[in-house]
Amino acid sequence: MTVFVIRRLMQSILVLAATAVIVFIGVYAIGDPAEMLIAPDATAAERAQVEASLGLDKPLPVQFLAFLGNALHGDLGRSFVFNQPSISLILERLPATLELALVAILIALVLGIPLGLIAGLKPRSVTDETIMTGSILGFSLPNFWQGMMLVMIFSVWLGWLPSSGRGPTGHIFGIETSFASWEGIRHLILPAINLALFKLALVIRLTRTGVRETMPLDFVKFARAKGLTERRVVLVHVLKTIMIPLVTVIGMEIGSLIAFGVVTETIFAWPGIGKLLIDSIMRLDRPVVVAYLLVVVSLFILLNFAVDVLYSILDPRIRLGRN
Amino acid sequence: MALAKPALFAALRPDADSLLARSLAGILKSPKATIAAFVCIALILTALFGPALAPQDPYDLSTLDILDSKLPPGSESMTGSVYWFGTDVQGRDMLSAMIYGLRTSLLVGVLAGLVALLVGTVLGLSAAYFGGRIDSLIMRLVDLMLGFPTLLVALMLLAILGQGVGKVIFALVLVQWAMFARAVRAAALVEKGKDYIEAARMLGLSRPRMLFGHLLPNCLSPLIVIGTLQVANAISAEATLSFLGIGLPITQPSLGLLIANGYQVLLSGQYWISVYPGLLLLILVFSINIVGDRLREVLNPRLAER
C-alpha cells in the first residue's frame, strides 16, 4: 500500500511539474512575457522595472527556475485589475465554486443512481429506452444553452427563482455557505441544476452499465439462492459492487465540474473562480489566468491522487495488478 | 506467389468490407437511429449548400436594415419577405445566420474530429505495433491527457493562445487524439496476434503497408464509433468556448457565438435570437450522438452479445 501511494505521489508531482513547464512555455516562450505580465497601460519606466525584476534578460532555464521558486512560495504575480496577489483572489472565490460543484454532484447522484438502477434492471424495456434517450439528451444539451433556458423559463417567464449572483451567505459550522438562508438556497438552485444535468446523464449511464454487468454474476445468483429478497440483492449487494467504479468516476468528475463551473458561473454570474477566469481573460489580467491554471491543475491532481488511493482501498485488485 | 497472395489474405483476414454494411443495417434496424441519421444528412446538406439556401447573406452588410432589428419570428421585412425565425439585433435574418453558423460549427467539429482521428490512429497503431518504450511513452501521454477534463485543457490552451479558427481546432485535436489512440491501440493489440498479420509478416510486406494496409482496416470499428461521438463533442465544445468568448472570432460566427449574442437580449424578452440557434445546435449534437450510440451497440461485439 505504502509503495503504491508513494509511486502514485511521484506521478502526481511529475504531472504538476509538466503543467508548470507547459504554462511557463505558454506564457514566457511562445507569448511575450513583458506584454503578458505588464499592464497594457504601463509606462516605459514601469515596463523596464518589471522586466528587470522578472529577469527577462536572463536565459530561459534561469527564468524557469525563478518562476518555479516564486510559484512554490505561493507568489503567482499580482492582478493588474484588483492590485492584489492573484493567488489570494483565487482562494477567496474557491469556496463558492466548490459549494456549487458539491451540490451539483449530490443532485446527480441522488437522481442518477435510482434512474440507472431502474433502467439497468429492465434492459430494452420502454422505461429503459426512455431513461437512456433522456440521458443522451442530457449529454447533447449544450451546458450553456441549457443554463440560458433555465433562466428564461424559471426567471424571466415564471419569475420563480433569481437568475444571477450568489444570494446572502451565512456560516454553518464556520463554513461560509448559501444554505444558511432560504434566499441563499434560492440563488443556488438554478446554477446547481445547470451544472448537475450533464453529470446526471453520466451517473445514469454508469449505474445502468454496472447493473447489467453485475446481475449475471455468480454472487448475485448465490444471494438469490440464499433466499434474500430481490430488493435486498439489488440494493445491498449489487449496489455495493457498482459503487466502486462510481466512486472513481465521481471523484474525477468533481475536477471536471470545476472546469464546467466556468460556464455555469458565467451564465449565472456566480462569484466563483470560473467567472474570475473568464473576466480576467477578457480584461487581459494574465497573472490571474496563470494563477488559475496552476491552482486548478494542482487541485485536479490532488483529487485524482485521492481517488486513486481510495480506489485501491476499495478494490485491492488495482494495487496488486500494478505490482 | 503472386497468385497465392490474394487467396491467402481472403482466407485469413476477417471480413472488413462488411463493416459499412453492418453499420448501415444496424442503423436502419432502429427507427430512432434512422431518423437521427436522416436529420444528420439533412443538416450536412444544408450546411454544404448553405449560401444557395439561405434567404440572405447575413454578413453582407448592404442587405441588412437596422429598421428590421429584433423582429419576432414570422414578421415581414421592409421588402416583404418573411423572417421565419425573426431577426437579430442588427436586423439580420436569423434563419440565414443559423445556416451560416451551422456551416462553421460543422466545419470546425468535423475537421477537429478528423485530424484527431488521424493523429490518434497513427500514434495508437505505432504504440501497439512497436511496443516497448514507444508504447509506454505514448500511453503515458494518453493517460495524462485523459486525466484532465476536455473543457479545462481547451480553456487553458485558448487562454494562452487567444481566439481563432485554427487555434480552436488545434485545441480540440489536442484534447481528443488520446481517445482515438487508446481505442486503436487496444484493437490493434488484439489483431496483432492473429494469423493474417503473421502471414503478412512472412510475405515480407513493408512496415507501413502492414500497419495501414492490413492492421488498420481491422481496427476500424472502434474508430467509427468514437469518431462519430467525438465530432458531436467537438461541436459542443467549440460552441461552449465561443459562448465564453474565447473560441471563434466574431467574424466567423458559429452557432455558439449566435447563442451568445442572443443571451444579451434574452432577459428583455427577445428569446428567439438565442433559442433557435440553440435548438439547432441541440438537434445536431443529439442526432449525431444517437447515431454514434447505435453504432456502438452494433459494432461492439461485447455489447451485442448481451
Side-chain angles (χ1 to χ4, degrees), chain A residues 211-231:
Chain A
V211 171
R212 285 186 69 193
E213 276 171 2
T214 314
M215 287 311 274
L217 294 184
D218 285 343
F219 82 90
V220 177
K221 286 184 195 133
F222 183 74
R224 281 198 190 122
K226 223 168 72 174
L228 297 185
T229 57
E230 193 64 22
R231 203 188 156 85

Side-chain angles (χ1 to χ4, degrees), chain B residues 108-155:
Chain B
V108 172
V110 171
L111 219 57
L114 280 184
V115 178
L117 185 142
L118 218 68
V119 175
T121 304
V122 171
L123 288 175
L125 271 185
S126 314
Y129 188 80
F130 295 110
R133 235 179 241 170
I134 297 182
D135 185 28
S136 55
L137 178 72
I138 293 177
M139 291 325 284
R140 270 292 119 73
L141 269 177
V142 167
D143 286 343
L144 183 65
M145 289 310 301
L146 292 180
F148 289 98
T150 319
L151 190 68
L152 183 67
V153 181
L155 260 175

Side-chain angles (χ1 to χ4, degrees), chain A residues 11 15 18-19 22-23 26-27 30 36 124 129 133 136-137 139-145 148-149 151-152 156-157 163 205 212-213 252 255-256 259-260 262-263 266-268 277-278 281-282 289 292-293 296-297 300-301 304, chain B residues 32 140 144 146-149 151-152 155-156 158-161 233 236 239-241 243-246 255-256 259-260 262-263 266-269 271 274-279 281-282 285-287 289-290 293 296-297 302-303 306:
Chain A
Q11 278 177 12
V15 173
T19 316
I22 293 169
V23 171
V27 175
I30 297 177
M36 284 205 150
R124 306 244 179 282
E129 285 282 329
T133 309
I136 299 181
L137 191 68
F139 271 122
S140 311
L141 264 178
N143 204 268
F144 64 98
W145 188 69
M148 287 163 56
M149 292 305 105
V151 169
M152 193 176 88
V156 180
W157 288 354
S163 67
R205 228 147 228 269
R212 285 186 69 193
E213 276 171 2
M252 311 272 286
S256 106
F260 269 99
V262 174
V263 177
T266 306
I267 296 171
F268 293 95
L277 173 72
I278 294 298
I281 292 176
M282 297 301 164
V289 175
Y292 172 90
L293 296 182
V296 167
V297 169
F300 203 73
I301 289 170
N304 276 1
Chain B
K32 196 170 75 181
R140 270 292 119 73
L144 183 65
L146 292 180
F148 289 98
L151 190 68
L152 183 67
L155 260 175
M156 278 174 63
L158 291 171
I160 294 173
L161 295 176
N233 273 345
S236 210
T240 305
L241 293 167
F243 172 77
L244 291 174
I246 54 173
L255 291 174
I259 300 169
Y263 185 49
L266 179 76
L267 293 179
S268 51
Y271 65 90
S274 53
V275 168
Y276 291 130
L279 270 179
L281 181 66
L282 173 63
V285 176
F286 187 49
S287 344
N289 274 337
I290 295 261
D293 206 53
R296 173 165 37 203
E297 262 170 46
R302 235 183 51 199
L303 267 178
R306 279 191 214 134

Side-chain angles (χ1 to χ4, degrees), chain B residues 60-142:
Chain B
D60 178 5
L61 292 177
S62 65
T63 63
L64 301 184
D65 194 333
I66 198 72
L67 291 176
D68 279 349
S69 92
K70 296 197 249 181
L71 292 178
S75 19
E76 274 188 19
S77 74
M78 307 297 285
T79 54
S81 59
V82 179
Y83 294 128
W84 294 109
F85 291 97
T87 60
D88 73 359
V89 182
Q90 282 138 329
R92 187 173 286 144
D93 173 33
M94 277 315 291
L95 177 62
S96 310
M98 278 159 62
I99 293 176
Y100 276 74
L102 181 68
R103 276 166 75 86
T104 315
S105 287
L106 263 175
L107 180 80
V108 172
V110 171
L111 219 57
L114 280 184
V115 178
L117 185 142
L118 218 68
V119 175
T121 304
V122 171
L123 288 175
L125 271 185
S126 314
Y129 188 80
F130 295 110
R133 235 179 241 170
I134 297 182
D135 185 28
S136 55
L137 178 72
I138 293 177
M139 291 325 284
R140 270 292 119 73
L141 269 177
V142 167

Side-chain angles (χ1 to χ4, degrees), chain B residues 213-292:
Chain B
H214 297 283
L215 199 50
L216 180 59
N218 293 300
C219 304
L220 281 182
S221 43
L223 275 184
I224 294 178
V225 176
I226 297 177
T228 320
L229 296 173
Q230 291 291 66
V231 166
N233 273 345
I235 292 175
S236 210
E238 177 273 312
T240 305
L241 293 167
S242 296
F243 172 77
L244 291 174
I246 54 173
L248 297 183
I250 199 92
T251 48
Q252 271 155 308
S254 65
L255 291 174
L257 216 56
L258 289 181
I259 300 169
N261 290 340
Y263 185 49
Q264 281 129 32
V265 289
L266 179 76
L267 293 179
S268 51
Q270 279 102 19
Y271 65 90
W272 60 89
I273 304 176
S274 53
V275 168
Y276 291 130
L279 270 179
L280 184 59
L281 181 66
L282 173 63
I283 293 170
L284 177 67
V285 176
F286 187 49
S287 344
I288 302 178
N289 274 337
I290 295 261
V291 173

Side-chain angles (χ1 to χ4, degrees), chain A residues 188-241:
Chain A
L188 187 61
I189 294 175
L190 285 184
I193 291 177
N194 173 239
L195 201 52
L197 270 182
F198 197 80
K199 298 304 153 200
L200 175 62
L202 185 73
V203 172
I204 291 179
R205 228 147 228 269
L206 280 171
T207 313
R208 178 178 181 268
T209 314
V211 171
R212 285 186 69 193
E213 276 171 2
T214 314
M215 287 311 274
L217 294 184
D218 285 343
F219 82 90
V220 177
K221 286 184 195 133
F222 183 74
R224 281 198 190 122
K226 223 168 72 174
L228 297 185
T229 57
E230 193 64 22
R231 203 188 156 85
R232 195 173 157 79
V233 172
V234 171
L235 291 187
V236 177
H237 296 273
V238 173
L239 201 58
K240 221 188 212 167
T241 324

Side-chain angles (χ1 to χ4, degrees), chain A:
Chain A
M1 187 68 207
T2 330
V3 178
F4 174 77
V5 170
I6 291 173
R7 189 184 298 153
R8 194 60 195 70
L9 200 64
M10 301 278 282
Q11 278 177 12
S12 304
I13 293 170
L14 263 176
V15 173
L16 191 59
T19 316
V21 172
I22 293 169
V23 171
F24 174 80
I25 291 175
V27 175
Y28 286 76
I30 297 177
D32 177 3
E35 191 197 310
M36 284 205 150
L37 297 174
I38 301 171
D41 54 355
T43 63
E46 278 172 335
R47 182 172 289 262
Q49 190 223 329
V50 176
E51 272 177 22
S53 73
L54 286 173
L56 294 180
D57 44 344
K58 300 198 181 81
L60 273 181
V62 178
Q63 285 186 39
F64 178 64
L65 286 181
F67 168 78
L68 211 59
N70 285 340
L72 287 177
H73 286 107
D75 175 10
L76 295 169
R78 287 179 86 84
S79 157
F80 305 147
V81 177
F82 297 94
N83 197 24
Q84 269 183 49
S86 49
I87 186 88
S88 67
L89 272 174
I90 298 215
L91 293 181
E92 255 168 41
R93 286 165 174 75
L94 195 57
T97 298
L98 288 180
E99 180 180 62
L100 193 58
L102 287 178
V103 174
I105 208 91
L106 220 64
I107 295 177
L109 286 177
V110 168
L111 293 177
I113 294 179
L115 283 173
L117 272 178
I118 295 169
L121 286 176
K122 287 192 176 158
R124 306 244 179 282
S125 67
V126 179
T127 332
D128 173 44
E129 285 282 329
T130 315
I131 292 175
M132 290 322 284
T133 309
S135 128
I136 299 181
L137 191 68
F139 271 122
S140 311
L141 264 178
N143 204 268
F144 64 98
W145 188 69
Q146 169 239 324
M148 287 163 56
M149 292 305 105
L150 288 178
V151 169
M152 193 176 88
I153 297 169
F154 293 103
S155 305
V156 180
W157 288 354
L158 297 173
W160 289 352
L161 294 164
S163 67
S164 77
R166 192 185 189 192
T169 55
H171 290 264
I172 299 179
F173 303 122
I175 302 166
E176 195 187 356
T177 168
S178 296
F179 281 101
S181 66
W182 173 232
E183 196 52 32
I185 295 176
R186 266 166 48 93
H187 277 84
L188 187 61
I189 294 175
L190 285 184
I193 291 177
N194 173 239
L195 201 52
L197 270 182
F198 197 80
K199 298 304 153 200
L200 175 62
L202 185 73
V203 172
I204 291 179
R205 228 147 228 269
L206 280 171
T207 313
R208 178 178 181 268
T209 314
V211 171
R212 285 186 69 193
E213 276 171 2
T214 314
M215 287 311 274
L217 294 184
D218 285 343
F219 82 90
V220 177
K221 286 184 195 133
F222 183 74
R224 281 198 190 122
K226 223 168 72 174
L228 297 185
T229 57
E230 193 64 22
R231 203 188 156 85
R232 195 173 157 79
V233 172
V234 171
L235 291 187
V236 177
H237 296 273
V238 173
L239 201 58
K240 221 188 212 167
T241 324
I242 303 171
M243 283 321 280
I244 298 174
L246 216 54
V247 165
T248 335
V249 174
I250 294 310
M252 311 272 286
E253 290 303 320
I254 293 180
S256 106
L257 277 178
I258 292 169
F260 269 99
V262 174
V263 177
T264 304
E265 287 173 15
T266 306
I267 296 171
F268 293 95
W270 188 263
I273 54 173
K275 186 162 170 17
L276 179 69
L277 173 72
I278 294 298
D279 289 348
S280 302
I281 292 176
M282 297 301 164
R283 293 174 189 145
L284 302 177
D285 196 357
R286 293 186 193 93
V288 180
V289 175
V290 170
Y292 172 90
L293 296 182
L294 288 179
V295 168
V296 167
V297 169
S298 315
L299 200 68
F300 203 73
I301 289 170
L302 206 70
L303 268 171
N304 276 1
F305 174 69
V307 168
D308 267 14
V309 171
L310 194 65
Y311 196 12
S312 77
I313 292 171
L314 281 175
D315 189 348
R317 280 172 304 180
I318 298 299
R319 234 181 313 156
L320 299 173
R322 283 200 191 166
N323 286 340

